[in-house]
Amino acid sequence: MTIPSSSAPPRRRSPWRLGAIGGLVAAVIAGYAAFTTVGASAAETLLSQGKPATASSTEAAGAYLASEAVDGNLGTRWASAFSDPQWLQVDLGSSQAITRVELNWETAAGKAFQIQVSDNASTWTSIYSTTTSTGGNQSLTVSGTGRYVRMYGTQRTTGYGYSLWEFKVYGGTPTTPPTTTPPTGPTVPAGGSLGANVIVFDPSQSSASIQSQADAIFRQQESNQFGTQRYVLAFKPGTYNGLNIQVGFYTSVVGLGQNPQDTRINGDVTVDAGWFNGNATQNFWRSVENLSLYPVSGDDRWAVSQAAPFRRMDIHGGVNLAPNGYGWASGGYIADSRISGVEGQYSQQQWFTRNSQIGSNSNAVWNQVFVGVQGAPATSFPNPPYTTIGSAPVIREKPYLYQTGGNYAVFVPNLQTNASGATWVNGNTPGTSLPLSQFYVAKPGDSAATINQALAQGLNLIFQPGIYHVNQTINVTRANTVVLGLGYATIIPDNGVTAMQVADVDGVKIAGVLFDAGTTNSPNLLVVGPSGSNGNHAGNPTTIQDVFFRIGGYVAGKATNSLLVNSNNVIIDHIWAWRADHGNAGTYGWTVNTADTGLIVNGQNVTAYGLFVEHYQKTEVLWNGNGGRTYFLQNEQPYDPPSNAAWRSDGVGYPAYKVADSVTSHEAWGMGSYAFFQNNPAVHSANGFQAPVNGGVKLHNIFTISLASGTIDHVVNNIGDAATADAVVPRTVTNFP
């Protein structure tokens, strides 16, 4: 079935009764400065990149050379012979003061090694030593002077040799550590249970037993849109037959193998919209990951809207993204997946697919975007509205829970550049396995003080499914920390605190968390880097993946801004920032769930994939940093301004996406902004988008549309026709300027 864009129904959700708010976007940044306790960072110099490097051996003649560990390319590496000891050294050219060394290990890492310096490459002084390393990405603060710096390994973690993707030596002034209150509580234990709401299935169980448990959870969660229950349905590696796992609110269905092929379901994992009369526009907050499916009918149905990622899936057949009957749908997100058949868009108003492989694609409504997708249709925007980019310039796939040797671990995929296709099709996803013993498993009811104590001990974090109230900011200060929420673990800040703050350090990974604003206004819900952050994290950026923000709906939440990115090189990979237009009684309204902005980017060279930002009361995405890139935006302007005068004093409304006048380089593809001014159809906004005209700022394949209520006068900078209520059709600009 093909539904032309002109006949696609407008997206509506529920009745609204709302009122007025003021304030400036600039106050967001000023407010953050008043709340943050993180100090400024001073610059370091990377001394080793591109310098001559030698090694004790290589794994194979002419391959895995020493130079490949200092070339700045995370796709190449040095690997040694399978024996001890082994070393890798770099010649800095002259004697230098060494302040920090970074080692990005492949799985074959060093357990016992030293970092040594020398002025003559024959007499060495040790400036760091360990016998308990587990590999991964390590940032070592050191102090020493020398022309030559080497890693000298005496014991390996595996039967293979030593292997480094990158060996980085820094000099100059090290990054100032964040200033936080020292933890005063007792030492918290690592590891532990994932909790009763992580329900684990084994292939030895009968299909009837598994189906019965899954059905019981679905009955509870099918329409439980603003409830407090959270679940993970986890399938151990093996084969399962005759299942149809229906997925309701706050439910994640995952395979526990290292790769999707390890866990096979001869059956379906289904999302439909029977609970909402065939309308899928409220099928939020659910996910599926790391499974191989053989759908019974040939197509698996995944009829979702926002915050419903479909990751690491191997579909032997097609995927139908529409509800039964082809009712309204407003999704969605696919990544790191293979679909042998058709990715069927049907009635999906917009969709974003990244780094995957598909047999083909059918249909487009308003905005279908593909980045790094093998088999994607060619760009043809606006008719049909396909935008296709051949590769993702820089990406790291989301960390995920799995089992190895019968024990839980978290797998952290490696950073990729110019990547296309799924990471696991031709072998294991490259990356690092972190055992559960390196995590604190937070439980509902844990205090922020306990969580901060665990972080101060150097542990990563897993949040069990559940609700977490925090009365102080969760401070992530250590490079390469992993924060992984299970089953839509939800963090609610109390007393107006910022829920979580990340220091300006390398390689933090935050994934799978829902931040739900509390009833006292917070300046921000998640902050990445302090104000003024200036570190270069190009080789090991922080990633924000499947992280969602909610203002109202559950409680009458308030937050001036949701996500503030101050650090450079951050990768945002799928967020939904939503100011609620419906929910529990008394939790939404123009003066109730107040929120200015969904995303502010101050950092340089930040890349965003799959932005969903809706209903904020001022500029919804504000981009202040240079070198930014956005691939896909879905936006609805606020439903509820009482009038143009109440919305903005000059009466022109706010753009959905604004690139600041000071920005000289920025590029974005596939962005749409929709008007549905339900409370007052006479309301209009001047532009969907706003950007400086300087040649370095470029917007491609952007559009506005009125969903039969209200007007957007122009697409960008007073360019483009008006999107009006009498014609539910996109108004497009293919290239700006």
Side-chain angles (χ1 to χ4, degrees):
M1 177 177 180
T2 299
I3 302 174
S5 59
S6 60
S7 67
R11 177 178 175 211
R12 302 178 185 173
R13 290 183 175 151
S14 65
W16 306 262
R17 292 288 183 270
L18 309 163
I21 189 174
L24 298 171
V25 168
V28 178
I29 301 170
Y32 168 64
F35 278 84
T36 185
T37 59
V38 178
S41 298
E44 288 182 302
T45 301
L46 177 58
L47 304 173
S48 55
Q49 189 160 310
K51 296 296 176 66
T54 55
S56 53
S57 66
T58 58
E59 181 177 328
Y64 305 114
L65 304 177
S67 59
E68 294 178 325
V70 294
D71 61 1
N73 183 353
L74 287 171
T76 63
R77 60 187 172 95
W78 164 71
S80 77
F82 302 171
S83 61
D84 295 305
Q86 300 288 342
W87 51 263
L88 170 77
Q89 74 180 43
V90 59
D91 179 1
L92 304 179
S94 62
S95 186
Q96 301 284 340
I98 312 304
T99 56
R100 190 163 62 91
V101 174
E102 288 184 5
L103 302 99
N104 186 346
W105 293 102
E106 198 253 354
T107 303
K111 179 179 181 181
F113 66 90
Q114 298 180 40
I115 302 299
Q116 302 173 331
V117 294
S118 174
D119 282 325
N120 55 20
S122 60
T123 303
W124 295 91
T125 300
S126 178
I127 58 174
Y128 176 85
S129 180
T130 182
T131 59
T132 59
S133 172
T134 57
N137 296 328
Q138 295 179 290
S139 178
L140 309 176
T141 300
V142 297
S143 178
T145 302
R147 172 175 172 172
Y148 302 90
V149 182
R150 78 175 180 180
M151 184 286 301
Y152 186 82
T154 55
Q155 185 179 359
R156 293 159 285 142
T157 59
T158 71
Y160 299 98
Y162 297 80
S163 185
L164 283 163
W165 295 101
E166 284 295 306
F167 180 64
K168 295 182 179 181
V169 179
Y170 291 86
T173 306
T175 302
T176 304
T179 303
T180 58
T181 303
T184 57
T187 298
V188 299
S193 169
L194 298 180
N197 283 18
V198 176
I199 298 167
V200 181
F201 300 116
D202 186 281
S204 65
Q205 293 177 254
S206 70
S207 296
S209 172
I210 295 171
Q211 190 69 59
S212 176
Q213 292 181 72
D215 287 349
I217 291 170
F218 178 68
R219 284 193 296 271
Q220 181 187 80
Q221 298 301 102
E222 181 180 12
S223 60
N224 195 17
Q225 187 172 175
F226 297 101
T228 59
Q229 293 78 15
R230 305 285 188 269
Y231 293 98
V232 174
L233 306 184
F235 289 80
K236 289 185 177 181
T239 299
Y240 301 80
N241 294 306
L243 298 178
N244 180 20
I245 306 300
Q246 298 187 79
V247 187
F249 284 100
Y250 313 110
T251 304
S252 297
V253 180
V254 304
L256 291 174
Q258 183 168 352
N259 296 306
Q261 306 97 315
D262 298 334
T263 308
R264 172 173 173 164
I265 294 179
N266 294 317
D268 297 85
V269 176
T270 301
V271 178
D272 206 343
W275 74 279
F276 203 47
N277 300 315
N279 178 348
T281 62
Q282 291 187 27
N283 279 353
F284 312 138
W285 302 305
R286 64 199 74 197
S287 66
V288 65
E289 180 176 56
N290 205 32
L291 291 168
S292 180
L293 289 185
Y294 290 72
V296 170
S297 66
D299 289 342
D300 190 62
R301 187 183 301 278
W302 189 255
V304 299
S305 287
Q306 291 79 7
F310 189 95
R311 286 187 183 267
R312 292 181 64 80
M313 293 295 292
D314 188 15
I315 308 300
H316 294 260
V319 175
N320 184 340
L321 299 174
N324 186 28
Y326 301 97
W328 304 350
S330 188
Y333 177 93
I334 292 173
D336 202 20
S337 293
R338 177 173 63 185
I339 300 168
S340 68
V342 178
E343 181 179 333
Q345 307 272 347
Y346 303 113
S347 57
Q348 281 288 351
Q349 295 167 351
Q350 67 283 314
W351 196 275
F352 179 70
T353 307
R354 180 185 63 68
N355 290 87
S356 293
Q357 177 181 322
I358 64 176
S360 63
N361 180 83
S362 71
N363 204 63
V365 178
W366 296 331
N367 187 32
Q368 271 64 27
V369 177
F370 304 84
V371 176
V373 178
Q374 298 165 359
T379 294
S380 54
F381 187 93
N383 187 27
Y386 294 134
T387 299
T388 299
I389 311 295
S391 61
V394 58
I395 189 65
R396 179 194 292 121
E397 295 299 340
K398 171 187 166 291
Y400 60 93
L401 182 74
Y402 81 116
Q403 287 187 337
T404 177
N407 298 313
Y408 287 111
V410 172
F411 196 85
V412 181
N414 284 345
L415 189 70
Q416 303 176 83
T417 56
N418 301 317
S420 67
T423 59
W424 46 267
V425 168
N426 296 314
N428 292 341
T429 297
T432 302
S433 179
L434 302 178
L436 202 63
S437 60
Q438 294 184 15
F439 287 81
Y440 175 67
V441 181
K443 301 167 289 297
D446 277 356
S447 68
T450 297
I451 294 168
N452 280 328
Q453 173 71 38
L455 289 166
Q457 290 173 208
L459 295 173
N460 302 295
L461 282 180
I462 288 176
F463 286 93
Q464 290 181 2
I467 309 293
Y468 297 78
H469 282 266
V470 296
N471 61 3
Q472 60 180 265
T473 299
I474 297 172
N475 287 300
V476 181
T477 62
R478 180 178 59 85
N480 302 308
T481 299
V482 176
V483 177
L484 180 62
L486 302 180
Y488 289 81
T490 302
I491 301 175
I492 301 176
D494 294 333
N495 306 319
V497 302
T498 293
M500 184 178 291
Q501 189 164 283
V502 180
D504 189 31
V505 295
D506 276 357
V508 173
K509 296 97 180 167
I510 299 178
V513 179
L514 170 59
F515 292 95
D516 201 354
T519 55
T520 301
N521 187 74
S522 294
N524 302 280
L525 296 179
L526 172 61
V527 176
V528 181
S531 179
S533 293
N534 60 9
N536 183 344
H537 309 292
N540 188 13
T542 286
T543 47
I544 308 297
Q545 298 177 290
D546 297 351
V547 172
F548 309 121
F549 305 89
R550 183 168 66 192
I551 316 293
Y554 171 55
V555 296
K558 299 173 175 63
T560 307
N561 176 62
S562 290
L563 172 59
L564 174 61
V565 177
N566 291 315
S567 287
N568 300 329
N569 312 109
V570 171
I571 298 171
I572 303 169
D573 178 34
H574 190 217
I575 66 167
W576 183 36
W578 183 63
R579 176 179 165 264
D581 59 84
H582 64 277
N584 294 329
T587 65
Y588 60 96
W590 187 253
T591 59
V592 177
N593 59 326
T594 53
D596 286 359
T597 305
L599 169 64
I600 297 175
V601 177
N602 295 325
Q604 311 299 308
N605 304 313
V606 171
T607 303
Y609 302 97
L611 295 182
F612 298 77
V613 183
E614 299 190 287
H615 308 158
Y616 288 80
Q617 295 171 295
K618 297 191 176 177
T619 299
E620 303 204 41
V621 176
L622 176 60
W623 208 293
N624 296 314
N626 276 309
R629 294 172 293 196
T630 293
Y631 300 89
F632 181 92
L633 168 73
Q634 184 267 326
N635 165 262
E636 285 184 342
Q637 299 198 9
Y639 286 2
D640 52 342
S643 66
N644 268 84
W647 191 12
R648 179 166 166 164
S649 60
D650 59 10
V652 300
Y654 291 90
Y657 187 99
K658 179 178 179 179
V659 182
D661 293 343
S662 59
V663 172
T664 58
S665 59
H666 184 90
E667 198 160 9
W669 295 262
M671 301 195 297
S673 179
Y674 315 160
F676 185 60
F677 298 129
Q678 167 75 6
N679 277 29
N680 183 352
V683 169
H684 65 97
S685 63
N687 289 280
F689 305 90
Q690 185 176 333
V693 182
N694 56 28
V697 176
K698 302 174 183 179
L699 309 180
H700 310 285
N701 300 354
I702 60 176
F703 73 100
T704 57
I705 192 168
S706 173
L707 305 184
S709 188
T711 301
I712 302 176
D713 296 332
H714 302 283
V715 179
V716 55
N717 287 24
N718 297 328
I719 298 168
D721 294 339
T724 56
D726 60 347
V728 184
V729 294
R731 305 303 186 184
T732 63
V733 170
T734 304
N735 288 294
F736 169 85

